[in-house]
Amino acid sequence: MESYEDEILCEEVRKYPHLYNSSLKDYKDAHMACNSWREIAQALGKDEILCRQRWKYLRDRYVKAAKMLKGKSGDAGEDTITMPRVVVMLGWLSKFIKHSTGNKLNDFRYLDEILCEEVRKYAHLYNSSLRDYKDAHMASNSWREIALALDKDETFCRQRWKYLRDRYVKAAKMLKGKSGDARGKRLPPIVYMLGWLSEFIKHRETDSNVEKLNEFSYGSDSLDTLKLECVASDLSDNNMEQNQKSDQFSQVQETVVARLSNYDEERGFDDEDMCFGKMVGRTLSKMTTRNKAHARLEISQVLFKWQMVECDSAVPK
């Protein structure tokens, strides 16, 4: 585009505040944005995609130039600073641009603190003794409210909370093991941030062989290792009598053999479910934010409904 066309483009975009004012309700309305960009393209006699890309380029240039001028404002007077053309052209955009403070670590830590305090308001998300602890519908509504309070995506809030909770559990477990030696040592920030969660966390005292087996991953490499161990155990017992071999065969090895015998059948079901899940994920990724949220809610409700039906059918009458 020519320079005068850039000026016309900026003035046309200025007529549609929902394209640049993030405080408006319709700021992320994809349908309204599409209609507005179509009208802007018609006014300029240009392609819609070209107008979108050119606006993004001009806006990014303005944000970068304005940030540099803000940093140099204390070193030289405004009269001695030559204003870039894009700053003059998009000066009206200044009140809609929020510059970051530059300390992203502190900003993220502040966001984590707000997230933890918001989650704390919904006890059914972390207190396993409550009746509604595994209520998918309630959890979905709660996470939607938390996401709105933080002005973030719901999936991001869920994943960030899981990450923070896992970090706290790990740190608390390490401190519990070193309680006799950790005097005077500085506690991790996550322990202070989620200290209120301690009464809802249950640490396992010991990990038996059977518990470790239940947490075992069905990876192909791990399965091959288990098969070799079982074969080696059988070969070592060939010189013993048949009645002694049954006594030597441990409970863990019996469980391994039982699981390996059903592995092929279980893997077929897992692969089928995983393929369907990936297909659903790819479909969701192509939707708008609003439609995606509705779809997730309906999918969660359907899964919850059939989980309840399965639980009811498993209860003996």
Side-chain angles (χ1 to χ4, degrees):
M1 286 186 176
E2 300 292 338
S3 58
Y4 72 91
E5 290 178 327
D6 287 342
E7 295 176 1
I8 298 175
L9 172 63
C10 294
E11 289 304 318
E12 286 295 326
V13 173
R14 190 175 184 178
K15 298 176 184 178
Y16 303 89
H18 63 89
L19 294 178
Y20 54 84
N21 188 352
S22 60
S23 63
L24 296 180
K25 182 180 179 180
D26 302 322
Y27 175 63
K28 289 187 177 181
D29 192 315
H31 182 68
M32 282 188 64
C34 186
N35 291 336
S36 300
W37 279 112
R38 188 181 300 114
E39 294 174 4
I40 293 170
Q42 290 176 355
L44 271 72
K46 299 287 184 181
D47 182 67
E48 180 182 337
I49 297 177
L50 175 64
C51 294
R52 286 174 178 259
Q53 293 175 345
R54 188 64 181 176
W55 166 251
K56 184 179 183 303
Y57 168 75
L58 293 172
R59 184 186 182 279
D60 292 345
R61 277 190 59 198
Y62 169 76
V63 171
K64 186 176 181 180
K67 194 171 183 180
M68 291 178 64
L69 289 173
K70 186 178 179 181
K72 296 178 180 179
S73 60
D75 302 332
E78 294 184 0
D79 296 336
T80 60
I81 299 177
T82 303
M83 292 288 181
R85 176 176 164 273
V86 71
V87 175
V88 179
M89 186 166 54
L90 286 175
W92 54 269
L93 195 62
S94 60
K95 58 182 177 181
F96 305 107
I97 301 297
K98 298 177 181 179
H99 297 286
S100 61
T101 58
N103 196 339
K104 294 184 178 180
L105 180 61
N106 290 337
D107 292 344
F108 217 81
R109 185 172 297 173
Y110 177 68
L111 179 66
D112 288 344
E113 292 176 357
I114 298 177
L115 173 62
C116 294
E117 289 304 317
E118 287 294 326
V119 173
R120 190 176 185 179
K121 299 176 184 178
Y122 302 89
H124 62 91
L125 293 179
Y126 54 84
N127 188 351
S128 58
S129 64
L130 296 181
R131 180 181 179 182
D132 302 322
Y133 176 64
K134 289 188 176 181
D135 191 316
H137 182 68
M138 281 188 64
S140 180
N141 292 336
S142 301
W143 280 113
R144 189 182 303 111
E145 294 173 5
I146 293 170
L148 288 173
L150 270 71
D151 193 22
K152 296 290 182 181
D153 182 66
E154 181 181 337
T155 304
F156 167 80
C157 294
R158 286 175 178 258
Q159 292 176 346
R160 189 64 185 174
W161 165 251
K162 183 179 184 303
Y163 166 75
L164 293 172
R165 184 186 181 280
D166 291 346
R167 275 189 60 200
Y168 170 76
V169 171
K170 186 176 181 179
K173 195 171 184 180
M174 290 179 65
L175 289 173
K176 186 178 180 181
K178 299 178 180 179
S179 58
D181 305 328
R183 295 180 180 178
K185 290 187 178 180
R186 184 179 178 182
L187 296 178
I190 190 68
V191 175
Y192 290 107
M193 191 185 305
L194 285 175
W196 52 268
L197 195 64
S198 60
E199 59 181 307
F200 307 105
I201 301 297
K202 298 178 182 179
H203 298 287
R204 286 192 298 244
E205 296 297 332
T206 58
D207 292 329
S208 64
N209 290 334
V210 176
E211 289 173 343
K212 289 181 180 179
L213 180 63
N214 290 335
E215 297 174 0
F216 197 87
S217 173
Y218 275 122
S220 59
D221 295 339
S222 302
L223 283 170
D224 292 340
T225 304
L226 281 174
K227 290 178 181 179
L228 290 173
E229 290 178 356
C230 293
V231 171
S233 177
D234 291 340
L235 291 175
S236 63
D237 291 336
N238 281 339
N239 296 328
M240 297 182 180
E241 296 180 359
Q242 190 66 26
N243 58 347
Q244 292 178 344
K245 185 183 295 185
S246 60
D247 294 334
Q248 293 293 329
F249 208 75
S250 66
Q251 180 182 359
V252 176
Q253 290 171 324
E254 291 175 353
T255 309
V256 171
V257 171
R259 290 202 174 188
L260 288 177
S261 62
N262 297 327
Y263 169 68
D264 291 333
E265 182 180 355
E266 292 177 359
R267 183 176 57 183
F269 286 112
D270 289 343
D271 289 346
E272 183 180 351
D273 293 340
M274 289 299 293
C275 289
F276 179 75
K278 290 179 180 178
M279 183 270 290
V280 173
R282 284 194 295 268
T283 305
L284 288 173
S285 66
K286 299 176 182 179
M287 296 182 180
T288 61
T289 304
R290 180 177 296 180
N291 292 340
K292 188 186 298 184
H294 285 296
R296 285 177 179 169
L297 175 60
E298 292 180 5
I299 292 171
S300 299
Q301 290 173 344
V302 170
L303 291 175
F304 176 74
K305 171 188 172 182
W306 287 105
Q307 284 176 346
M308 292 298 99
V309 170
E310 192 169 310
C311 290
D312 294 340
S313 62
V315 176
K317 297 181 181 180

